[in-house]
Amino acid sequence: VILPPSLPYHLDTSHIDETLRLATEERASDFAAAIQKLRKIYHTSIKPMEQAYKYNELRQHEISDGEITSKPMVLFLGPWSVGKSSMINYLLGLHDSPYQLYTGAEPTTSEFTVIMHGEKIRSVEGIVMAADSSRSFSPLEKFGQNFLEKLIGIEMPHKLLERVTFVDTPGIIENRKQQERGYPFNDVCQWFIDRADLIFVVFDPTKLDVGLELEMLFKQLKGRESQIRIILNKADNLATQDLMRVYGALFWSLAPLINVTEPPRVYVSSFWPYDYAPDTSRELFKREEISLLEDLNQVIENRMENKIAFIRQHGIRVRIHGLLVDRYVQTFKEKMSFFSDPELVFQEIVDDPDKFYIFKSILAKTNVSKFDLPNRDAYRDFFGINPIANFKPLSAQCSYIGGCLLDKIEKAITTELPALLSSINSGKQPGLSSCEATGCGEKPKNRYRKN
């Protein structure tokens, strides 16, 4: 919301720099060495199986080099005019500068705006961002030209942006149909949600409107609860008693949408450069703001650990997919006879995999959790596009020089990635000699996630 310049600023915003430790220099060489080691593990041990068994056609999540080397992403979601853009302006100190994100009482942000670090201030068109393979946004091309016209990047030199990237999104308007936007809004949101390290869902306490589009958004956030932070912004617009009622009403509205035992953390404050309204809970708002900044700082400090944990989780899914495809191939070969019709035999296997113990045999013979198994129906669609004859069994995926695909991915999951995580946590140069801190074969702990 644009306010007249007569409104007083906060007397001091130095707490932002202090809490985020922007004055401290980072050991860029150590970080770069760890990233290079992570890239090497991914390309030599995980990607070969990914390509051999066409994993990207099952999950449609291709990991590019840009994604491995990218900074943590903080995503701002929520209804229109709740203060998402104002909050970014505040964190970056852009208020009253020519470069501030436009704000207003009406719906103002119609684009997905990516605010990232650059040597000078400039805007980057969506088509340029998608065409640049060194960035992590090239997969966005699949959403079409209409969307790329609604994607904009802003580069600027800023200490915070050296460590994190902000994404501002169009506000949710409950009476607008998705097709009116001209591109698949929910699919684009899902793409950013899948890659975000921290998701701020922002609300205005004076207009809590939980409708169909917001319900759809929370369905998309399922499984990402540990990354979600709910922000009750503009909190100084209400008296303390009214604020407590709104806080309760917000949880009541969101309870059916967030199906977890531990609700997301809620921050209550006013995130903009102006002083809080008189006779409001100033001390509470300031403490809440510092807590949110500490939360953001945790994501920045743990970005390498989170990246390693993400690649390891991806490797586990690729391994499970490879084992399942291998099992389908073996079952097909066992059931085929000289007089069999290949299409009918395989159709029977795909329609009822439980009859042939496809999934149960994976659980029995490998250390795979039943909670990590993909949906059975997904493989009906997968094999509808990719004939079974296109795949070799895992036993045939070995070479004298390169070794076996399964051995390499299992070594990455149980030894190499935990060892890299161990070296990061102990402050050593990354190497693959030790996995004492995490235990080879245990899942490395992602310290950013809530326990």
Side-chain angles (χ1 to χ4, degrees):
V1 178
I2 299 173
L3 293 179
S6 57
L7 269 164
Y9 283 101
H10 282 312
L11 295 176
D12 184 15
T13 55
S14 61
H15 64 283
I16 296 178
D17 288 6
E18 288 169 12
T19 309
L20 296 175
R21 300 181 178 90
L22 298 184
T24 57
E25 291 299 322
E26 293 191 296
R27 294 185 299 174
S29 58
D30 289 1
F31 184 73
I35 284 287
Q36 287 307 313
K37 182 65 72 175
L38 185 60
R39 280 182 69 242
K40 185 179 178 186
I41 293 170
Y42 172 68
H43 281 288
T44 58
S45 302
I46 298 173
K47 194 165 186 177
M49 184 176 278
E50 205 176 298
Q51 292 174 325
Y53 291 103
K54 299 187 184 295
Y55 176 75
N56 296 332
E57 293 187 23
L58 180 78
R59 299 255 328 174
Q60 294 189 337
H61 187 167
E62 187 170 357
I63 294 179
S64 63
D65 281 353
E67 191 167 348
I68 293 174
T69 57
S70 66
K71 300 177 180 73
M73 183 191 291
V74 178
L75 181 64
F76 290 79
L77 298 168
W80 58 274
S81 194
V82 293
K84 299 187 294 295
S85 303
S86 295
M87 191 171 171
I88 295 172
N89 285 336
Y90 176 55
L91 291 171
L92 296 175
L94 298 179
H95 44 272
D96 286 352
S97 79
Y99 312 108
Q100 68 175 343
L101 301 180
Y102 180 66
T103 60
E106 76 285 0
T108 53
T109 305
S110 60
E111 297 97 5
F112 282 80
T113 308
V114 181
I115 303 101
M116 50 199 165
H117 183 262
E119 295 304 314
K120 58 182 182 179
I121 295 175
R122 69 182 187 118
S123 62
V124 185
E125 295 296 324
I127 5 179
V128 176
M129 290 170 66
D132 187 351
S133 59
S134 66
R135 302 181 193 269
S136 57
F137 303 104
S138 49
L140 287 169
E141 271 191 307
K142 67 183 177 186
F143 297 118
Q145 295 303 304
N146 279 350
F147 165 68
L148 293 180
E149 288 174 11
K150 292 291 185 181
L151 175 68
I152 188 165
I154 299 174
E155 289 185 345
M156 62 180 70
H158 195 286
K159 277 283 186 187
L160 180 53
L161 294 176
E162 287 177 11
R163 306 176 186 192
V164 73
T165 296
F166 290 132
V167 179
D168 192 14
T169 60
I172 291 165
I173 303 174
E174 291 299 346
N175 59 0
R176 175 175 289 181
K177 293 178 182 174
Q178 187 171 195
Q179 55 266 32
E180 290 175 18
R181 295 184 188 267
Y183 61 88
F185 177 72
N186 290 340
D187 292 344
V188 174
C189 281
Q190 189 68 60
W191 189 92
F192 281 103
I193 287 166
D194 288 344
R195 287 155 181 80
D197 296 81
L198 196 57
I199 302 166
F200 290 142
V201 186
V202 189
F203 290 95
D204 181 339
T206 61
K207 48 179 186 185
L208 291 181
D209 181 18
V210 180
L212 287 175
E213 199 162 71
L214 199 59
E215 280 186 30
M216 177 62 71
L217 175 68
F218 272 94
K219 282 180 184 173
Q220 292 178 283
L221 290 168
K222 287 272 194 258
R224 302 299 306 250
E225 287 83 4
S226 62
Q227 276 86 29
I228 299 171
R229 304 293 182 270
I230 292 172
I231 296 173
L232 210 50
N233 198 15
K234 307 184 187 181
D236 63 339
N237 285 349
L238 295 177
T240 305
Q241 192 173 6
D242 291 334
L243 191 59
M244 288 171 66
R245 288 180 182 142
V246 167
Y247 190 94
L250 177 67
F251 263 102
W252 180 262
S253 301
L254 297 181
L257 307 179
I258 306 172
N259 190 22
V260 288
T261 51
E262 186 181 348
R265 174 77 164 86
V266 178
Y267 294 102
V268 182
S269 190
S270 291
F271 296 92
W272 63 352
Y274 304 103
D275 204 357
Y276 302 124
D279 302 322
T280 53
S281 308
R282 303 171 65 87
E283 289 303 314
L284 169 68
F285 297 157
K286 193 63 176 281
R287 285 197 304 272
E288 288 282 279
E289 186 178 317
I290 289 171
S291 292
L292 179 137
L293 293 171
E294 287 171 347
D295 214 346
L296 176 57
N297 191 56
Q298 278 292 302
V299 172
I300 294 169
E301 290 197 345
N302 295 343
R303 66 191 183 281
M304 196 63 229
E305 291 97 320
N306 291 331
K307 216 170 268 290
I308 294 168
F310 167 72
I311 294 294
R312 186 175 182 276
Q313 186 182 47
H314 177 76
I316 289 169
R317 286 176 178 151
V318 171
R319 172 179 171 268
I320 291 170
H321 173 67
L323 289 167
L324 281 168
V325 173
D326 175 66
R327 190 68 211 145
Y328 273 102
V329 170
Q330 287 185 42
T331 305
F332 175 65
K333 288 187 173 181
E334 288 166 9
K335 298 299 171 191
M336 276 295 293
S337 66
F338 186 75
F339 299 103
S340 301
D341 182 334
E343 283 190 20
L344 289 176
V345 169
F346 191 64
Q347 194 61 47
E348 186 184 4
I349 296 169
V350 168
D351 286 344
D352 191 4
D354 289 340
K355 178 182 173 183
F356 300 94
Y357 301 101
I358 300 280
F359 286 78
K360 285 182 180 175
S361 65
I362 297 297
L363 292 174
K365 294 182 180 179
T366 60
N367 57 335
V368 171
S369 166
K370 66 178 180 179
F371 301 107
D372 289 333
L373 289 176
N375 191 319
R376 288 156 171 71
D377 294 337
Y379 281 91
R380 187 184 289 115
D381 299 335
F382 175 79
F383 286 117
I385 303 167
N386 302 287
I388 189 71
N390 290 359
F391 299 105
K392 296 178 186 175
L394 278 170
S395 57
Q397 298 280 12
C398 296
S399 68
Y400 180 74
I401 298 171
C404 297
L405 293 189
L406 186 60
D407 291 343
K408 287 199 292 185
I409 199 167
E410 287 185 342
K411 185 181 178 187
I413 291 166
T414 60
T415 306
E416 295 176 344
L417 290 170
L420 181 57
L421 189 72
S422 170
S423 71
I424 295 295
N425 288 336
S426 60
K428 298 183 299 185
Q429 282 291 332
L432 297 180
S433 57
S434 160
C435 41
E436 293 164 7
T438 54
C440 299
E442 290 180 10
K443 187 171 181 178
K445 186 177 179 182
N446 183 348
R447 291 187 297 155
Y448 159 57
R449 291 180 181 274
K450 290 182 180 178
N451 292 326

